Amino acid sequence: MSQHVAVVEWSRGDQPFSDNKYSRGHDWRFDGGAVVRGSSAPSGVPEPMSDPAAVDPEEALVAALSSCHMLFFLAYARKDGFIVDSYRDEAEGLMSKDERGKVSITEIILRPAITWSGDKLPDAAAIADLHHRAHDICYIANSIRAEVKIEPR
């Protein structure tokens, strides 16, 4: 199979630690050179310990699922002879207690808005089939416990 690596790096610096008021800001480093600022969600750890401009792990999970779904959707659309001009997903993750009583992302809703062009345009059934196939093969969807709903716009 394949291996995927991310380096997550945090440093206390000169901040106190035992008072629980340390920064949760950190960096995610990826093999291609991209660096993303990460932090805890401000809903869980208030500012200034959290950085609302950074990506929190919950947002990253939602984005990873949305991205994975989109990439397979685009591949299947191309394979089926459709031309996609744009794809925008306003995805949302909902956190609550799951059936085990643990707080988790229990549902992710994908809301893709897609524009098409070309001589061959998909009907609603073809679009639903593209989403079904993309979801079925998406590695992230196959790795999580959350229910995934697709609500095309």
Side-chain angles (χ1 to χ4, degrees), residues 69 87-92 94 107-114 127 131 147-153:
H69 181 91
Y87 184 111
R88 176 184 167 90
D89 186 0
E90 295 183 21
E92 178 181 2
L94 304 173
E107 182 177 84
I108 297 175
I109 304 166
L110 305 181
R111 295 185 178 100
I114 304 158
I127 294 169
H131 282 300
E147 178 183 5
V148 177
K149 294 181 179 178
I150 303 165
E151 300 175 355
R153 300 220 173 210

Side-chain angles (χ1 to χ4, degrees), residues 49-99:
M49 286 82 69
S50 286
D51 179 357
V55 178
D56 63 64
E58 298 84 359
E59 292 170 322
L61 177 63
V62 172
L65 175 72
S66 175
S67 179
C68 182
H69 181 91
M70 177 197 70
L71 292 168
F72 280 113
F73 183 94
L74 295 174
Y76 284 130
R78 185 212 49 86
K79 194 179 281 188
D80 289 359
F82 301 117
I83 297 173
V84 178
D85 290 334
S86 67
Y87 184 111
R88 176 184 167 90
D89 186 0
E90 295 183 21
E92 178 181 2
L94 304 173
M95 193 158 39
S96 62
K97 286 192 177 180
D98 65 15
E99 72 281 356

Side-chain angles (χ1 to χ4, degrees), residues 27 100 111 130 133 138:
D27 291 323
R100 303 167 300 164
R111 295 185 178 100
L130 289 167
R133 288 188 284 158
C138 171

